[in-house]
Amino acid sequence: MFDASRIDPGVIFDAAPTAQLVFTPDLRIVAANRRYCTLLNRRPEDLIGLRVFEAFPANPDDPDANAEAELQASADAVVATGEAQEMPLRHHDVLEADGRYDTRYWRILNSPIFADPDAPGRVTHVIHTAEDVTRAVLGDRAEAAKRRAAMRGADLSYFELDPGARTLVRSSQVDALFGFDLNEISAEVQPFYDRLHPDDFQMVMTELERVARTIGADLQLDFRIVLPDGSVRWLIGRGESVRDPDTRDVRIVGIVIDVTEIRENEANLREAVEARDLLIAEVNHRVKNSLQMVTSILNLEASRSANPEARQSLLAATARVHAVSAIHASLYEDGDVSSVQFDRYLTRLCAHLRNSLSSEGRNVRIELEAEPLRLRTDKAVTLSLAVNELVTNSFKHANWEGEGMVRVSLGHHGPGMIALVVSDNGTGADAVRSPVAESSSGLGKRLISGMASQLGGTIEEGTANGWRTCIVFPE
């Protein structure tokens, strides 16, 4: 039966998952395990009997290669104290079989071995545990080089804030942004806090505290600073919180960008837009007043006219002018002077048509069904005139028996298209209602045809328990 207590220690050493080398206090190698030989591409017989730096000579092209002296000092300390010694991160290149030196970085732990039974307190050998950290070190350095190159190329203001220690490591651009000369202040962050705008100070502190509480939290700052000359600058800060791999402390890393010019341009643009909107509103107000004056004059002329045909023509003109005037009045409703909420406007227009046309002895109801639609002012004017003409035509030409009804419908008609439908239930067989596309001397028909063309639409007409006109146009 196998006795586990009698296993050869050499077997355990050779099977260890870490790379280990055993040498005497004068650095002469006496053993190397399998992992160590694999890592360095050596055989045990190539190493045993040699001093460490005979087996692994320093790179002659590296003027800073002093690993031998440092390893000897560490071994001496192990011998003197009888305690393990961890060496700082070391750069020591390894000579390959082709004569080329391969860059390597190492973490080293030297531990004592007490192998003399007659002097159990004496260190006879040192076990040297080596961890190859080349990939991690070169990766970190490559990332750092990329960050430096990016900052130089973009002239970014990079910073690393330690909230606990209240220190700030930063690029020179950060000092310049805050109005400090190069090397004017130390690593303390307080001078930067002192230049925060009083109205933004608490917001900045609250955001920094929030980000510091959670690793990986995004920093979002938009704040002002006050420079010694009294000028105010707008800055934005973007970054995230990380944990320092050595100290385990939280750091906030990121960049700061001066956006003062952008803010000023935005303010100037807002002022220009407000001035433009005010001017357009004033123009619309004057147009509305002028059109209302024209409407009043036409109404006055119609009331004084003894000729029925002239009176009807003047009233028709009055309705058309009113339709345009009402559009300009609608531009004041929600502050948007470039478009009209047309469904709301259409409700008022139909009520006005009902009152004005019924006052001439026609007892007709107007029903409206309109989807919420917002249209550009020019399209709204054209469409309102079309509604006015179509509804007026129904009142003019229909021959109702009993209660009359005109239906106005406005809504989407397939992808990207809108349909206006005006229909009535009172077109008798004796009414003359030729399609608007045909040649006609009627002004209303010519107007409707022109409006459909101006909208970029098409007209469909026909009878369906009355007369029905449909204008389909792009949204």
Side-chain angles (χ1 to χ4, degrees), residues 143-155:
E143 289 301 318
K146 291 177 183 178
R147 288 195 297 270
R148 289 193 298 271
M151 287 187 289
R152 284 195 295 268
D155 198 27

Side-chain angles (χ1 to χ4, degrees), residues 373 383 409-413 417-421 470-473:
L373 284 173
L383 197 59
S409 174
L410 180 72
H412 287 92
H413 185 77
M417 302 298 286
I418 297 174
L420 168 68
V421 179
C470 177
I471 302 177
V472 180
F473 58 95

